[in-house]
Amino acid sequence: MTTRRALLAAGLAAAPSVARAQAWPARPVRVVEPAAPGGGNDITIRLFAPHLERALGQAFVVENRPGAGGRIGVENVFRAPPDGYTLLMGNAGSNGINAAIYRDLPYNLETDFVPISMLVTGPNALVVNPRVFPVNSVRELIAAIKARPANAFNYGSGGVGSSAHLSAELFKQMAGVQMEHIPYRGAPEFGQAVVTGDAPFLIANLVNIMPFISRGEVKLLAVTSLERWPDLPEVPTLNESGLPGFETIAWNGLFGPRGLPQAVVDRLVPELQRIGRMPEVTERVKLIGGQVVASTPEMLAARVRSDIAKWREVARAANIRAE
């Protein structure tokens, strides 16, 4: 029989850990962003971070750790203590596609990270250099690519296994065209490659490419949602442009390493949802082509599972592997 003394001892032993969880955050929180500065992921977390700081009373320091399609930054968080002071700003590439293309990941993206909240989602955008591709539709674009020898044109991405890479591979498979992949360091670089014509075709997160579209430096031909995007109702989808069923959705979200205290998740989720309803946040995200979601942890977990399954099929068909 459990004695009163044993119960008291157990309660005292648990008290410090409970107190630590309740006290979170007691010092600055590091948020690892596994992509280069200037992209949609980076813009989103830097938009949310100041509001979290004001609400929770500690700095949320964004640390960019780009490379290997997000793997470097993700692994950094995987190896961090699960104490709530290192979080991950993951995305469709780092926390979905990588499971499809890496055979030697030291972590499992479905089980080794605690989902907190999906923050922003949006379609990808198919854009071209209008001088290289003087076309007005996806059908005309496909015809122009097929009229030249295989691999006559380049397309850019943020690296092997990035969302831009796999989205373009899905386009190639469904359109029956061949193009050469050129990986770049991040969104500013592959966007500029379209502008210069070095890689005149791109399917990238609308958030990442919107500045180039707004300045008229690239031509937007289609979005990758199944239905037209509410903020761009005049822009057709690939689904209605000769590639039925084509869909790729960009997203980003906050994660912690496995073992993250539930108290930290419970503290963050309502704050993120509150921030996501703020007009200055929703309007800023809308301007760059996204939509605030600020979801539950369960919704983010479901998105990770579905993306991993989808991209494994695309990577297998394209024989894409990263080492």
Side-chain angles (χ1 to χ4, degrees):
M1 177 181 293
T2 303
T3 66
R4 182 177 178 182
R5 179 177 295 177
L7 288 171
L8 179 61
L12 290 173
S17 62
V18 171
R20 283 195 297 272
Q22 290 174 340
W24 183 92
R27 64 177 191 270
V29 177
R30 184 173 67 109
V31 184
V32 175
E33 148 62 322
N41 232 38
D42 191 63
I43 292 170
T44 299
I45 189 55
R46 292 182 190 278
L47 182 60
F48 274 77
H51 296 291
L52 286 172
E53 291 175 358
R54 285 192 287 272
L56 301 179
Q58 291 290 341
F60 278 69
V61 182
V62 179
E63 181 180 309
N64 294 88
R65 286 194 170 228
R71 176 175 173 169
I72 291 173
V74 174
E75 187 164 343
N76 180 265
V77 176
F78 168 67
R79 299 191 184 284
D83 55 9
Y85 293 98
T86 300
L87 302 176
L88 171 68
M89 184 62 175
N91 57 57
S94 68
N95 285 72
I97 291 173
N98 278 1
I101 65 169
Y102 282 103
R103 289 174 288 189
D104 62 343
L105 290 178
Y107 48 78
N108 184 311
L109 285 168
E110 295 185 62
T111 61
D112 284 330
F113 296 91
V114 175
I116 299 170
S117 178
M118 185 188 303
L119 299 184
V120 170
T121 188
N124 290 319
L126 191 164
V127 299
V128 296
N129 180 307
R131 297 184 306 277
V132 178
F133 292 115
V135 298
N136 295 308
S137 70
V138 172
R139 288 182 174 86
E140 290 180 7
L141 172 66
I142 293 172
I145 296 172
K146 288 182 174 179
R148 296 283 298 276
N151 295 324
F153 299 107
N154 299 328
Y155 73 90
S157 82
V160 173
S162 64
S163 177
H165 180 202
L166 270 290
S167 293
E169 286 298 322
L170 181 59
F171 175 86
K172 287 168 55 180
Q173 290 172 18
M174 295 183 69
V177 297
Q178 294 297 320
M179 291 181 288
E180 189 72 22
H181 176 220
I182 306 295
Y184 291 87
R185 185 170 179 268
E189 290 78 11
F190 63 61
Q192 194 59 38
V194 182
V195 175
T196 62
D198 293 335
F201 172 99
L202 176 69
I203 299 180
N205 296 1
L206 186 56
V207 172
N208 287 340
I209 205 67
M210 182 58 78
F212 299 95
I213 297 170
S214 299
R215 293 193 295 265
E217 295 173 326
V218 301
K219 187 166 187 175
L220 172 60
L221 292 182
V223 293
T224 64
S225 47
L226 285 176
E227 304 293 334
R228 294 199 179 197
W229 192 243
D231 296 328
L232 295 169
E234 74 286 356
V235 180
T237 66
L238 282 163
N239 178 52
E240 65 182 291
S241 301
L243 301 179
F246 191 105
E247 181 190 31
T248 64
I249 298 297
W251 57 266
N252 55 46
L254 205 59
F255 299 82
R258 184 173 62 178
L260 182 74
Q262 185 62 40
V264 174
V265 177
D266 292 343
R267 189 85 189 276
L268 279 169
V269 170
E271 289 299 336
L272 293 168
Q273 292 175 340
R274 180 188 62 81
I275 294 165
R277 293 190 295 267
M278 297 172 67
E280 59 265 41
V281 173
T282 57
E283 287 303 311
R284 171 61 176 149
V285 170
K286 183 177 179 179
L287 284 174
I288 57 175
Q291 183 179 71
V292 177
V293 179
S295 78
T296 62
E298 292 76 18
M299 181 177 173
L300 178 55
R303 170 56 68 178
V304 169
R305 289 192 298 270
S306 64
D307 269 23
I308 289 174
K310 177 190 183 82
W311 294 120
R312 274 183 176 148
E313 285 302 307
V314 174
R316 180 194 57 77
N319 194 29
I320 296 172
R321 290 290 181 191
E323 303 298 338

